[in-house]
Amino acid sequence: MIPHETAKRIERALCGRYGVLLTHKTGALWAAVSAVFDVAKALGAGVPSGASFTHEFATTIGVVVCLPDAQLSDDQMTALLVHECTHASQFVREPGKMAVQYIQHRERRAVLEAEAFAQGAAILWLLTGRLPERVEDMASALQWGYALTAEDCALSWGLLEQYATSIVAGVLPEGPCRVAASIMARECPEVLNADALALVRLNCPEALEAA
C-alpha cells in the first residue's frame, strides 16, 4: 500500500500541477443532485443511481474535483485522483470546448474517458504488475454510468486496448500518472511491483522524472 504521507504528497503535487480544487459530495446540494440521478435512471437514462453517483463516482467540473462520499484506501484515492486530474488537464487544454463536447457528444465523452481510465489503470499496474484480463474490466462503468451506447463503449475499449499495450510494456501515458509514479518511485519504491518498475525504468525512464 502507498504510505499515507506519500499519498498526500501525490495529492498536493497533482492539485498544484493541474490547478485542482478538491471537495466532497456531501450536504444538501449533493442530496438534491442524487435525487435527480434517481429520477433520470428511473426514466431509462444510462446513468448511475443517486447513491452510486454520490458514494462511488467522483465528478470533475472544470478544475474542481468532487470526491465521492466514501472511505477510500490511499491506493484507491491515488488512482482516482490521477483519473480526475486527467479530466482537469483536458479542461485546461480546451476550456470551453472540452466541457461542451463532453456533455453533448457521446463519442467525444468515450475518448476522454478512455484517456482518464488509462491513467488510473497505469497506477494500479505499477502497484500490482497486472491489468484486468479483459479490457472492458478496466472501465466497466462505461456500460451503465456514462450514458454511452454500445458503439461508444467499443470505441473507448479499443483505445484502452492501445493504452494497455503500452502500459504493460512499461510506457506510461503522459499526464497525471507520471507525476504520481515519479513520487512513488522516489519515496516508496518497495510498494511498487518490482517487474513493473523495472520495465518503466528501462522503456520509459522520463515517466519517473515528472515530479
Side-chain angles (χ1 to χ4, degrees), residues 103-167:
I103 293 169
Q104 293 187 346
H105 303 289
R106 294 191 311 267
E107 182 176 315
R108 184 61 177 155
R109 185 157 66 247
V111 171
L112 293 169
E113 287 297 343
E115 181 185 3
F117 274 106
Q119 291 276 332
I123 296 301
L124 298 179
W125 174 78
L126 264 177
L127 290 167
T128 67
R130 298 188 305 274
L131 288 179
E133 290 186 9
R134 299 185 330 130
V135 68
E136 293 86 350
D137 294 331
M138 288 175 64
S140 58
L142 289 175
Q143 300 174 87
W144 54 270
Y146 291 85
L148 298 175
T149 66
E151 291 77 14
D152 300 324
C153 289
L155 169 62
S156 192
W157 290 328
L159 293 170
L160 276 170
E161 185 77 53
Q162 297 175 44
Y163 282 119
T165 299
S166 294
I167 289 169

Side-chain angles (χ1 to χ4, degrees), residues 8 29 34 36 53-54 61 67 82 89 143 145 178 183 185 203:
K8 297 304 289 184
L29 171 62
S34 175
V36 171
F53 176 75
T54 302
I61 305 169
L67 298 170
V82 164
S89 69
Q143 300 174 87
R178 292 192 177 189
I183 295 171
N203 295 328

Side-chain angles (χ1 to χ4, degrees), residues 4-34:
H4 183 67
E5 283 306 312
T6 300
K8 297 304 289 184
R9 209 172 337 272
I10 291 170
E11 177 184 309
R12 291 192 294 271
L14 289 171
C15 289
R17 176 74 60 91
Y18 299 102
V20 164
L21 301 175
L22 298 180
T23 185
H24 288 80
K25 292 182 175 181
T26 57
L29 171 62
W30 288 106
V33 173
S34 175

